[in-house]
Every structure is written in C-alpha cells, then in structure tokens.
Amino acid sequence: MNWLHLVSYFFGGAFLANAIPHLVSGLRGEPFQSPFAQPRGEGLSSSTVNVLWGFFNVIVGYLLVCRVGEFTLLDTRDVAALGLGALALSLFCARHFGRFHGGNTPTGS
C-alpha cells in the first residue's frame, strides 16, 4: 500500500464531506457560506453558487478516491483514511459554521 494513496483518500473524504452542506443548502434554495462570499468563508453565497461549489467538491473527492490507487471498501486502511478526512473536515465545519448559526452555544428550551 502506497501511503500517498491514503493521503489522497483522506483529502478525498474531506472534499466529499464538504460537498454535503453546500449541496443541501443549494438544493433547498438557501444561502450558505462559501469561499466566494464576502467576507470569504463567512458571508453568504447564493444557492446556485453553493450547488456549483458542492458539485466541484464531489468531482475532486471522486478524483482523489476513485482515480488514485485502488480504493477498496473492504480495505480498512482505505476506509479509515477516507473516514478520518471526512470526520476532520466535519468537526472543523461544525465549529466554524456553528459561530454563525448558534451551534457552538445552543440554548436549552
């Protein structure tokens, strides 16, 4: 196993995880933060921009996972690398976007 393949799967998992909130927000017709907003990563982008950005992330994730090495769902190392990449980016996004949507300090009802 080439360790560079595992690095590729890690980043592929991160790109695939990043696609989810952008695609969901875009498909729901809602604005969401993106790298193209002002200020960058904090302002809101249109639903169309988010769909395009989400699809870009899917394409990059696909290339990193399916076109580098031979990713196998039955290989624990491959799946662990992808899962850790997805988890790392998901935790970052939860903290980053939680600042804007109240997720870091939820209030009890």
Side-chain angles (χ1 to χ4, degrees):
M1 165 57 65
N2 186 336
W3 68 272
L4 287 174
H5 294 169
L6 295 177
V7 172
S8 178
Y9 303 155
F10 177 89
F11 284 105
F15 273 94
L16 292 172
N18 192 46
I20 295 169
H22 295 286
L23 286 174
V24 169
S25 294
L27 290 171
R28 291 186 57 180
E30 298 173 351
F32 190 69
Q33 288 83 6
S34 85
F36 308 106
Q38 294 299 325
R40 186 177 178 165
E42 295 181 13
L44 297 175
S45 291
S46 71
S47 56
T48 302
V49 168
N50 275 289
V51 166
L52 294 171
W53 182 239
F55 265 94
F56 173 78
N57 278 271
V58 168
I59 291 167
V60 172
Y62 164 78
L63 292 173
L64 290 171
V65 174
C66 297
R67 301 306 241 167
V68 174
E70 292 186 27
F71 181 84
T72 305
L73 283 175
L74 297 176
D75 188 332
T76 304
R77 290 177 294 182
D78 291 356
V79 173
L82 182 127
L84 287 173
L87 177 63
L89 189 83
S90 297
L91 290 172
F92 169 78
C93 288
R95 296 301 299 167
H96 178 73
F97 296 123
R99 296 184 306 160
F100 307 111
H101 302 283
N104 292 343
T105 55
T107 57
S109 321

XYZ file of all heavy atoms in Angstrom:
830
model
N 0.852 -1.187 0.000
C 0.000 0.000 0.000
C 0.889 1.239 0.000
O 1.762 1.389 0.838
C -0.906 -0.015 1.233
C -1.593 1.306 1.566
S -2.619 2.059 0.323
C -3.919 0.889 0.172
N 0.651 2.090 -0.928
C 1.371 3.352 -1.037
C 0.742 4.349 -0.058
O -0.468 4.596 -0.096
C 1.262 3.855 -2.475
C 2.082 5.087 -2.740
O 2.409 5.851 -1.831
N 2.414 5.295 -3.998
N 1.532 4.933 0.832
C 0.982 5.860 1.831
C 0.410 7.112 1.183
O -0.486 7.747 1.747
C 2.025 6.199 2.905
C 3.178 7.016 2.398
C 4.330 6.551 1.852
C 3.275 8.441 2.380
N 5.146 7.593 1.507
C 4.523 8.781 1.818
C 2.431 9.459 2.788
C 4.936 10.080 1.641
C 2.851 10.775 2.622
C 4.082 11.074 2.053
N 0.888 7.475 -0.005
C 0.330 8.635 -0.699
C -1.124 8.387 -1.116
O -1.918 9.323 -1.185
C 1.175 9.003 -1.912
C 2.517 9.653 -1.585
C 3.334 9.843 -2.855
C 2.323 10.974 -0.865
N -1.463 7.131 -1.367
C -2.858 6.806 -1.669
C -3.735 7.104 -0.455
O -4.840 7.644 -0.589
C -3.003 5.340 -2.071
C -2.325 5.007 -3.362
N -2.150 3.725 -3.794
C -1.772 5.792 -4.319
C -1.524 3.724 -4.962
N -1.276 4.983 -5.287
N -3.245 6.758 0.732
C -4.019 7.018 1.952
C -4.196 8.522 2.175
O -5.271 8.973 2.596
C -3.344 6.371 3.162
C -3.282 4.843 3.142
C -2.521 4.328 4.350
C -4.672 4.241 3.075
N -3.168 9.300 1.869
C -3.282 10.760 1.974
C -4.332 11.268 0.990
O -5.164 12.124 1.325
C -1.909 11.440 1.726
C -2.052 12.950 1.630
C -0.919 11.051 2.816
N -4.330 10.723 -0.211
C -5.325 11.100 -1.211
C -6.731 10.755 -0.739
O -7.661 11.555 -0.890
C -5.017 10.388 -2.531
O -5.993 10.696 -3.500
N -6.913 9.585 -0.128
C -8.236 9.181 0.366
C -8.677 10.078 1.523
O -9.860 10.397 1.652
C -8.238 7.724 0.800
C -7.809 6.760 -0.294
C -7.263 5.535 0.005
C -7.940 7.092 -1.650
C -6.865 4.651 -0.981
C -7.534 6.221 -2.656
C -7.003 5.003 -2.306
O -6.600 4.138 -3.295
N -7.724 10.484 2.369
C -8.033 11.398 3.473
C -8.614 12.705 2.924
O -9.678 13.160 3.347
C -6.772 11.667 4.298
C -6.966 12.651 5.410
C -7.371 12.229 6.668
C -6.741 14.012 5.219
C -7.550 13.129 7.704
C -6.922 14.928 6.238
C -7.327 14.472 7.490
N -7.918 13.291 1.968
C -8.399 14.555 1.398
C -9.652 14.347 0.544
O -10.513 15.224 0.483
C -7.288 15.255 0.620
C -6.280 15.906 1.520
C -5.035 15.336 1.713
C -6.593 17.070 2.207
C -4.113 15.920 2.567
C -5.681 17.662 3.063
C -4.440 17.086 3.243
N -9.758 13.183 -0.084
C -10.987 12.863 -0.808
C -12.184 12.826 0.127
O -13.259 13.339 -0.197
N -12.004 12.243 1.311
C -13.075 12.221 2.308
C -13.439 13.619 2.761
O -14.618 13.942 2.959
N -12.441 14.484 2.903
C -12.699 15.868 3.302
C -13.502 16.601 2.225
O -14.472 17.302 2.531
C -11.375 16.593 3.576
N -13.123 16.425 0.965
C -13.863 17.079 -0.123
C -15.294 16.555 -0.207
O -16.237 17.325 -0.411
C -13.150 16.902 -1.467
C -12.115 17.943 -1.734
C -10.782 17.717 -1.415
C -12.455 19.157 -2.304
C -9.815 18.676 -1.655
C -11.497 20.129 -2.554
C -10.175 19.889 -2.228
N -15.468 15.243 -0.049
C -16.816 14.677 -0.128
C -17.679 15.164 1.032
O -18.866 15.467 0.843
C -16.741 13.149 -0.162
C -16.138 12.568 -1.444
C -15.926 11.069 -1.306
C -17.014 12.888 -2.645
N -17.102 15.266 2.223
C -17.861 15.793 3.363
C -18.217 17.256 3.147
O -19.321 17.697 3.501
C -17.055 15.624 4.653
N -17.311 18.015 2.556
C -17.571 19.430 2.315
C -18.670 19.642 1.283
O -19.355 20.661 1.285
C -16.291 20.143 1.866
C -16.438 21.643 1.890
O -16.947 22.213 2.850
N -16.008 22.287 0.823
N -18.855 18.683 0.396
C -19.901 18.807 -0.623
C -21.296 18.797 -0.004
O -22.207 19.459 -0.515
C -19.774 17.678 -1.642
N -21.463 18.076 1.085
C -22.803 17.853 1.641
C -23.517 19.144 2.040
O -24.631 19.398 1.568
C -22.740 16.847 2.810
C -22.311 15.480 2.279
C -24.088 16.748 3.525
C -21.958 14.471 3.354
N -22.945 19.998 2.908
C -23.708 21.187 3.308
C -23.976 22.142 2.149
O -25.033 22.786 2.109
C -22.836 21.845 4.377
C -21.460 21.327 4.144
C -21.646 19.944 3.583
N -23.039 22.214 1.203
C -23.239 23.118 0.068
C -24.349 22.611 -0.842
O -25.205 23.389 -1.282
C -21.935 23.310 -0.698
C -20.895 24.000 0.122
N -20.943 25.347 0.410
C -19.787 23.529 0.741
C -19.904 25.673 1.167
N -19.190 24.587 1.380
N -24.351 21.317 -1.119
C -25.399 20.760 -1.969
C -26.761 20.830 -1.285
O -27.755 21.195 -1.912
C -25.068 19.321 -2.355
C -23.965 19.159 -3.393
C -23.616 17.687 -3.578
C -24.378 19.773 -4.718
N -26.811 20.498 -0.008
C -28.096 20.523 0.709
C -28.650 21.942 0.756
O -29.826 22.171 0.459
C -27.942 19.927 2.126
C -29.179 20.187 2.966
C -27.664 18.433 2.041
N -27.817 22.902 1.116
C -28.283 24.295 1.163
C -28.720 24.762 -0.215
O -29.770 25.390 -0.362
C -27.177 25.218 1.686
O -26.881 24.920 3.019
N -27.919 24.454 -1.229
C -28.255 24.878 -2.579
C -29.541 24.246 -3.080
O -30.387 24.918 -3.663
N -29.701 22.947 -2.839
C -30.905 22.267 -3.296
C -32.154 22.750 -2.565
O -33.257 22.703 -3.111
C -30.752 20.752 -3.125
C -29.748 20.097 -4.067
C -29.501 18.658 -3.667
C -30.219 20.182 -5.505
N -31.976 23.218 -1.345
C -33.103 23.772 -0.590
C -33.364 25.227 -0.947
O -34.292 25.834 -0.436
C -32.832 23.652 0.912
C -32.855 22.204 1.383
C -32.724 22.095 2.851
N -33.807 22.868 3.464
C -33.991 22.997 4.757
N -33.167 22.430 5.588
N -34.987 23.702 5.234
N -32.513 25.804 -1.785
C -32.685 27.192 -2.187
C -32.274 28.186 -1.130
O -32.726 29.323 -1.117
N -31.381 27.765 -0.242
C -30.942 28.620 0.860
C -29.507 29.101 0.643
O -28.672 28.359 0.138
C -31.004 27.842 2.179
C -32.395 27.388 2.545
C -32.409 26.489 3.763
O -31.327 26.075 4.223
O -33.510 26.181 4.238
N -29.213 30.325 1.069
C -27.829 30.791 1.008
C -26.993 30.099 2.091
O -27.529 29.638 3.096
C -27.944 32.290 1.278
C -29.191 32.431 2.075
C -30.114 31.339 1.615
N -25.703 30.017 1.854
C -24.800 29.395 2.821
C -23.410 29.973 2.594
O -23.099 30.473 1.520
C -24.794 27.869 2.625
C -24.080 27.117 3.711
C -24.593 27.050 4.990
C -22.886 26.474 3.439
C -23.927 26.343 5.992
C -22.218 25.766 4.424
C -22.745 25.704 5.702
N -22.558 29.879 3.597
C -21.193 30.378 3.487
C -20.435 29.589 2.424
O -20.628 28.386 2.283
C -20.449 30.245 4.821
C -20.890 31.195 5.882
C -22.120 30.722 6.636
O -22.592 29.627 6.454
N -22.640 31.579 7.478
N -19.575 30.295 1.703
C -18.692 29.634 0.739
C -17.439 30.479 0.579
O -17.388 31.625 1.032
C -19.398 29.462 -0.616
O -19.264 30.614 -1.398
N -16.430 29.923 -0.078
C -15.208 30.696 -0.296
C -15.407 31.903 -1.205
O -14.535 32.753 -1.305
C -14.262 29.693 -0.963
C -14.818 28.358 -0.702
C -16.286 28.534 -0.517
N -16.544 31.988 -1.886
C -16.778 33.062 -2.841
C -17.555 34.230 -2.241
O -17.780 35.222 -2.914
C -17.530 32.512 -4.060
C -16.836 31.309 -4.623
C -17.364 30.043 -4.427
C -15.648 31.439 -5.317
C -16.719 28.929 -4.927
C -14.996 30.324 -5.817
C -15.535 29.066 -5.623
N -17.973 34.121 -0.998
C -18.748 35.174 -0.342
C -17.811 36.238 0.206
O -16.607 36.045 0.317
C -19.580 34.578 0.783
N -18.375 37.361 0.558
C -17.613 38.437 1.207
C -18.197 38.684 2.584
O -19.388 38.915 2.683
C -17.683 39.722 0.376
C -16.994 39.624 -0.963
C -15.510 39.327 -0.838
O -14.856 39.789 0.085
N -14.988 38.542 -1.753
N -17.441 38.621 3.653
C -16.040 38.180 3.698
C -15.943 36.684 3.420
O -16.853 35.914 3.721
C -15.578 38.518 5.101
C -16.801 38.649 5.913
C -17.922 39.021 4.985
N -14.816 36.299 2.863
C -14.577 34.930 2.410
C -14.820 33.918 3.532
O -14.255 34.038 4.607
C -13.153 34.815 1.904
C -12.862 33.499 1.291
C -11.477 33.466 0.737
N -11.255 32.127 0.199
C -10.287 31.826 -0.601
N -9.423 32.733 -0.953
N -10.158 30.600 -1.038
N -15.673 32.938 3.263
C -15.948 31.883 4.228
C -16.886 32.280 5.345
O -17.232 31.464 6.184
N -17.297 33.525 5.372
C -18.198 33.991 6.435
C -19.499 34.542 5.874
O -20.554 34.333 6.447
C -17.503 35.049 7.290
C -16.317 34.513 8.048
C -15.661 35.574 8.918
O -16.257 36.652 9.122
O -14.556 35.313 9.395
N -19.408 35.263 4.758
C -20.611 35.800 4.142
C -21.394 34.693 3.456
O -20.937 33.559 3.324
N -22.589 35.026 3.018
C -23.450 34.034 2.390
C -23.340 34.098 0.869
O -23.246 35.170 0.287
C -24.904 34.267 2.802
C -25.197 34.123 4.294
C -26.643 34.490 4.579
C -24.887 32.714 4.760
N -23.356 32.935 0.253
C -23.397 32.820 -1.203
C -24.762 32.297 -1.601
O -25.445 31.630 -0.825
C -22.331 31.842 -1.698
O -21.045 32.368 -1.517
N -25.140 32.553 -2.844
C -26.447 32.127 -3.330
C -26.545 30.604 -3.373
O -25.534 29.887 -3.346
C -26.694 32.694 -4.725
O -25.859 32.034 -5.668
N -27.771 30.127 -3.486
C -27.980 28.684 -3.579
C -27.337 28.119 -4.845
O -26.792 27.013 -4.827
C -29.476 28.365 -3.533
O -30.164 29.060 -4.545
N -27.343 28.885 -5.925
C -26.723 28.426 -7.171
C -25.221 28.261 -7.005
O -24.645 27.247 -7.432
C -27.026 29.415 -8.319
O -28.431 29.535 -8.459
C -26.405 28.956 -9.621
N -24.575 29.227 -6.376
C -23.129 29.133 -6.122
C -22.832 27.919 -5.257
O -21.864 27.190 -5.492
C -22.599 30.431 -5.472
C -21.197 30.246 -4.930
C -22.641 31.571 -6.472
N -23.680 27.666 -4.263
C -23.452 26.521 -3.381
C -23.622 25.190 -4.104
O -22.876 24.245 -3.841
C -24.347 26.614 -2.149
C -23.714 27.477 -1.090
O -22.749 27.087 -0.476
N -24.233 28.675 -0.916
N -24.578 25.091 -5.013
C -24.715 23.856 -5.793
C -23.471 23.643 -6.648
O -22.919 22.537 -6.697
C -25.994 23.885 -6.667
C -25.963 22.779 -7.711
C -27.231 23.752 -5.798
N -23.000 24.693 -7.305
C -21.799 24.571 -8.134
C -20.576 24.199 -7.304
O -19.776 23.334 -7.685
C -21.558 25.869 -8.907
C -22.614 26.208 -9.961
C -22.381 27.619 -10.507
C -22.613 25.180 -11.078
N -20.421 24.839 -6.142
C -19.290 24.541 -5.259
C -19.401 23.120 -4.709
O -18.413 22.400 -4.616
C -19.223 25.567 -4.128
C -18.079 25.380 -3.194
C -18.150 25.162 -1.851
C -16.678 25.398 -3.509
N -16.886 25.037 -1.325
C -15.970 25.185 -2.320
C -15.977 25.578 -4.686
C -14.578 25.127 -2.270
C -14.586 25.517 -4.636
C -13.912 25.298 -3.437
N -20.601 22.694 -4.375
C -20.809 21.336 -3.893
C -20.449 20.307 -4.953
O -19.769 19.307 -4.663
N -20.875 20.527 -6.202
C -20.535 19.602 -7.271
C -19.040 19.592 -7.552
O -18.464 18.538 -7.837
C -21.326 19.915 -8.549
C -22.569 19.087 -8.655
C -23.779 19.582 -8.201
C -22.535 17.806 -9.185
C -24.924 18.822 -8.277
C -23.679 17.038 -9.274
C -24.889 17.541 -8.814
N -18.389 20.743 -7.464
C -16.935 20.786 -7.616
C -16.272 19.904 -6.558
O -15.347 19.140 -6.858
C -16.418 22.221 -7.507
C -14.926 22.316 -7.494
C -14.202 22.210 -8.674
C -14.231 22.485 -6.307
C -12.808 22.281 -8.667
C -12.850 22.551 -6.284
C -12.138 22.456 -7.475
N -16.754 19.986 -5.316
C -16.205 19.165 -4.235
C -16.433 17.678 -4.489
O -15.573 16.854 -4.197
C -16.798 19.588 -2.891
C -16.103 20.787 -2.311
O -15.143 20.663 -1.587
N -16.589 21.970 -2.665
N -17.586 17.313 -5.021
C -17.863 15.910 -5.359
C -16.881 15.421 -6.421
O -16.329 14.324 -6.319
C -19.322 15.725 -5.838
C -19.527 14.350 -6.463
C -20.293 15.938 -4.694
N -16.649 16.241 -7.439
C -15.735 15.848 -8.525
C -14.318 15.657 -7.995
O -13.657 14.653 -8.291
C -15.773 16.887 -9.660
C -17.126 16.827 -10.364
C -14.627 16.670 -10.647
C -17.401 17.989 -11.284
N -13.835 16.612 -7.182
C -12.481 16.490 -6.627
C -12.401 15.279 -5.699
O -11.439 14.510 -5.746
C -12.052 17.784 -5.896
C -10.736 17.586 -5.169
C -11.948 18.928 -6.888
N -13.432 15.082 -4.867
C -13.461 13.910 -3.988
C -13.422 12.618 -4.782
O -12.685 11.679 -4.445
N -14.205 12.555 -5.845
C -14.203 11.374 -6.713
C -12.807 11.127 -7.289
O -12.306 9.996 -7.268
C -15.217 11.553 -7.844
C -15.010 10.575 -8.980
C -15.443 9.256 -8.867
C -14.353 10.960 -10.147
C -15.232 8.359 -9.895
C -14.143 10.075 -11.172
C -14.580 8.765 -11.054
O -14.362 7.882 -12.071
N -12.186 12.164 -7.811
C -10.859 12.001 -8.406
C -9.843 11.510 -7.382
O -9.017 10.642 -7.683
C -10.401 13.320 -9.037
C -11.189 13.776 -10.264
C -10.741 15.182 -10.685
C -11.054 12.792 -11.409
N -9.893 12.056 -6.172
C -8.932 11.676 -5.135
C -9.158 10.266 -4.605
O -8.211 9.588 -4.199
C -8.972 12.677 -3.980
C -8.414 14.061 -4.283
C -8.716 15.018 -3.144
C -6.918 13.987 -4.541
N -10.415 9.821 -4.609
C -10.718 8.498 -4.052
C -10.730 7.412 -5.129
O -10.165 6.335 -4.937
C -12.073 8.514 -3.293
C -12.465 7.122 -2.842
C -11.996 9.453 -2.094
N -11.353 7.687 -6.239
C -11.569 6.640 -7.238
C -10.518 6.584 -8.342
O -10.439 5.577 -9.048
C -12.950 6.821 -7.873
S -14.290 6.639 -6.685
N -9.729 7.620 -8.493
C -8.757 7.638 -9.578
C -7.313 7.577 -9.091
O -6.388 7.614 -9.896
C -8.942 8.886 -10.442
C -10.313 8.988 -11.050
C -10.669 7.754 -11.814
N -10.910 8.074 -13.200
C -10.990 7.183 -14.150
N -10.843 5.925 -13.888
N -11.220 7.535 -15.374
N -7.117 7.504 -7.787
C -5.768 7.369 -7.225
C -5.690 5.994 -6.573
O -6.498 5.662 -5.699
C -5.483 8.471 -6.184
C -4.143 8.221 -5.506
C -5.516 9.839 -6.833
N -4.749 5.195 -6.986
C -4.619 3.855 -6.419
C -5.856 3.024 -6.734
O -6.529 3.230 -7.732
N -6.133 2.084 -5.849
C -7.312 1.234 -5.992
C -8.059 1.227 -4.667
O -7.879 0.335 -3.836
C -6.916 -0.175 -6.395
C -6.335 -0.243 -7.796
C -6.071 -1.662 -8.252
O -6.757 -2.579 -7.763
O -5.175 -1.833 -9.087
N -8.914 2.230 -4.453
C -9.702 2.323 -3.225
C -10.616 1.102 -3.137
O -11.311 0.756 -4.079
C -10.537 3.605 -3.217
C -11.356 3.766 -1.963
C -10.791 4.321 -0.833
C -12.680 3.346 -1.925
C -11.535 4.468 0.327
C -13.424 3.490 -0.770
C -12.862 4.050 0.352
N -10.594 0.459 -1.965
C -11.409 -0.727 -1.739
C -12.181 -0.566 -0.436
O -11.586 -0.321 0.614
C -10.509 -1.975 -1.640
O -9.699 -2.053 -2.813
C -11.322 -3.234 -1.506
N -13.497 -0.707 -0.522
C -14.326 -0.600 0.685
C -14.018 -1.695 1.694
O -14.282 -1.530 2.888
C -15.811 -0.644 0.320
C -16.394 0.639 -0.251
C -17.835 0.423 -0.693
C -16.317 1.774 0.763
N -13.453 -2.791 1.254
C -13.125 -3.883 2.165
C -11.742 -3.729 2.799
O -11.373 -4.531 3.653
C -13.221 -5.225 1.440
C -14.617 -5.583 0.930
C -14.581 -6.882 0.141
C -15.605 -5.667 2.079
N -11.005 -2.712 2.400
C -9.681 -2.445 2.982
C -9.852 -1.420 4.097
O -10.183 -0.259 3.850
C -8.727 -1.927 1.917
C -7.297 -1.808 2.416
O -7.088 -1.606 3.633
O -6.384 -1.905 1.583
N -9.631 -1.852 5.315
C -9.846 -0.996 6.482
C -9.006 0.271 6.418
O -9.476 1.347 6.785
C -9.533 -1.771 7.782
O -10.344 -2.945 7.802
C -9.806 -0.932 9.010
N -7.777 0.180 5.931
C -6.924 1.369 5.853
C -7.495 2.400 4.892
O -7.487 3.597 5.175
C -5.505 0.988 5.443
C -4.754 0.223 6.523
C -3.403 -0.174 6.043
N -3.584 -1.142 4.948
C -2.613 -1.740 4.315
N -1.365 -1.467 4.610
N -2.858 -2.608 3.351
N -8.008 1.946 3.756
C -8.600 2.869 2.786
C -9.813 3.581 3.385
O -9.937 4.803 3.310
C -9.044 2.120 1.525
C -7.884 1.602 0.692
O -6.720 1.879 1.037
O -8.169 0.912 -0.309
N -10.693 2.808 3.986
C -11.921 3.378 4.550
C -11.603 4.267 5.751
O -12.208 5.327 5.922
C -12.910 2.257 4.939
C -14.114 2.808 5.668
C -13.338 1.487 3.700
N -10.629 3.870 6.570
C -10.245 4.681 7.724
C -9.678 6.025 7.279
O -9.998 7.068 7.861
C -9.230 3.936 8.591
N -8.848 6.024 6.241
C -8.284 7.283 5.744
C -9.390 8.197 5.239
O -9.429 9.384 5.574
C -7.264 7.004 4.638
N -10.317 7.665 4.440
C -11.431 8.455 3.926
C -12.296 8.965 5.085
O -12.653 10.146 5.137
C -12.273 7.618 2.969
C -13.428 8.373 2.341
C -13.377 8.240 0.838
C -14.744 7.865 2.866
N -12.607 8.079 6.016
C -13.448 8.457 7.155
C -12.804 9.505 8.043
O -13.484 10.425 8.514
N -11.505 9.393 8.263
C -10.817 10.392 9.087
C -10.788 11.753 8.399
O -10.922 12.783 9.058
C -9.396 9.930 9.417
C -9.307 8.805 10.445
C -7.866 8.305 10.557
C -9.824 9.266 11.799
N -10.625 11.756 7.091
C -10.676 13.024 6.352
C -12.051 13.661 6.457
O -12.181 14.859 6.686
N -13.094 12.848 6.291
C -14.461 13.356 6.408
C -14.739 13.845 7.825
O -15.333 14.915 8.018
C -15.455 12.267 6.015
N -14.291 13.098 8.830
C -14.509 13.499 10.221
C -13.763 14.783 10.554
O -14.322 15.687 11.188
C -14.072 12.380 11.165
C -14.180 12.682 12.660
C -15.642 12.919 13.057
C -13.567 11.550 13.465
N -12.508 14.881 10.129
C -11.716 16.079 10.426
C -12.366 17.329 9.842
O -12.518 18.343 10.537
C -10.296 15.921 9.879
N -12.777 17.267 8.575
C -13.402 18.441 7.976
C -14.764 18.711 8.594
O -15.135 19.868 8.802
C -13.537 18.307 6.465
C -13.987 19.643 5.882
C -12.803 20.554 5.677
C -14.771 19.468 4.633
N -15.507 17.668 8.919
C -16.825 17.843 9.536
C -16.718 18.540 10.892
O -17.515 19.432 11.201
C -17.520 16.491 9.696
O -17.749 15.898 8.438
N -15.742 18.139 11.701
C -15.557 18.791 13.005
C -15.138 20.247 12.837
O -15.608 21.128 13.563
C -14.527 18.028 13.839
C -14.988 16.666 14.346
C -13.823 15.925 14.992
C -16.154 16.813 15.309
N -14.252 20.510 11.875
C -13.857 21.891 11.605
C -15.073 22.727 11.199
O -15.282 23.834 11.693
C -12.782 21.958 10.513
C -12.549 23.350 10.019
C -11.792 24.242 10.761
C -13.116 23.783 8.832
C -11.592 25.550 10.319
C -12.932 25.071 8.377
C -12.168 25.965 9.126
N -15.870 22.196 10.272
C -17.051 22.930 9.794
C -18.065 23.150 10.908
O -18.691 24.213 10.985
C -17.701 22.189 8.630
S -16.749 22.287 7.104
N -18.241 22.155 11.766
C -19.183 22.303 12.881
C -18.775 23.476 13.772
O -19.624 24.274 14.186
C -19.242 21.012 13.697
N -17.501 23.593 14.064
C -17.017 24.694 14.902
C -17.077 26.025 14.145
O -17.514 27.035 14.676
C -15.576 24.434 15.360
C -15.414 23.230 16.247
C -16.209 23.281 17.518
N -15.816 24.412 18.340
C -16.482 24.855 19.381
N -17.581 24.262 19.766
N -16.062 25.891 20.066
N -16.632 26.017 12.893
C -16.570 27.256 12.111
C -17.967 27.808 11.842
O -18.244 28.972 12.120
C -15.827 27.011 10.799
C -15.762 28.207 9.905
N -14.953 29.286 10.180
C -16.429 28.519 8.770
C -15.111 30.205 9.240
N -16.006 29.754 8.372
N -18.846 26.989 11.294
C -20.181 27.472 10.945
C -21.094 27.566 12.159
O -22.102 28.270 12.129
C -20.803 26.592 9.855
C -20.035 26.653 8.569
C -19.523 25.502 7.996
C -19.798 27.865 7.937
C -18.802 25.550 6.813
C -19.074 27.930 6.759
C -18.582 26.767 6.198
N -20.745 26.878 13.229
C -21.511 26.996 14.472
C -21.480 28.414 15.026
O -22.411 28.840 15.703
N -20.422 29.161 14.702
C -20.346 30.569 15.127
C -21.475 31.379 14.525
O -21.980 32.313 15.140
C -19.027 31.210 14.679
C -17.799 30.623 15.283
C -16.561 31.378 14.845
N -16.483 31.458 13.374
C -15.757 32.360 12.728
N -15.070 33.260 13.381
N -15.725 32.360 11.410
N -21.871 31.054 13.316
C -22.865 31.844 12.591
C -24.289 31.359 12.822
O -25.232 32.113 12.630
C -22.573 31.821 11.086
C -21.174 32.223 10.756
C -20.275 31.296 10.262
C -20.734 33.524 10.963
C -18.984 31.659 9.954
C -19.438 33.893 10.665
C -18.554 32.960 10.163
N -24.437 30.098 13.199
C -25.775 29.511 13.275
C -26.145 29.069 14.690
O -27.149 28.364 14.855
C -25.884 28.330 12.312
C -25.588 28.721 10.889
N -26.475 29.383 10.093
C -24.472 28.546 10.130
C -25.944 29.608 8.918
N -24.707 29.103 8.912
N -25.355 29.428 15.677
C -25.674 29.127 17.061
C -25.369 27.709 17.499
O -25.756 27.292 18.578
N -24.653 26.945 16.680
C -24.372 25.562 17.016
C -23.310 25.368 18.078
O -23.229 24.308 18.685
N -22.495 26.373 18.333
C -21.425 26.229 19.337
C -21.935 26.497 20.739
O -21.335 26.037 21.706
C -20.256 27.166 19.015
C -19.535 26.753 17.756
O -19.669 25.641 17.289
N -18.771 27.666 17.196
N -22.990 27.248 20.857
C -23.543 27.566 22.172
C -25.073 27.436 22.132
O -25.790 28.435 22.193
C -23.158 28.997 22.605
O -23.576 29.906 21.578
C -21.671 29.135 22.835
N -25.571 26.199 21.997
C -27.026 26.041 21.920
C -27.680 26.392 23.250
O -27.109 26.204 24.315
C -27.198 24.552 21.612
C -25.939 23.901 22.100
C -24.860 24.937 21.974
N -28.852 26.961 23.152
C -29.603 27.313 24.352
C -30.671 26.268 24.607
O -31.260 25.717 23.679
C -30.273 28.689 24.186
O -31.114 28.641 23.029
C -29.219 29.760 23.984
N -30.895 25.965 25.852
C -31.919 24.990 26.219
C -33.303 25.608 26.144
O -33.492 26.798 26.283
N -34.305 24.782 25.889
C -35.681 25.290 25.801
C -36.384 25.125 27.119
O -36.230 24.209 27.816
C -36.493 24.545 24.757
O -35.781 24.241 23.626
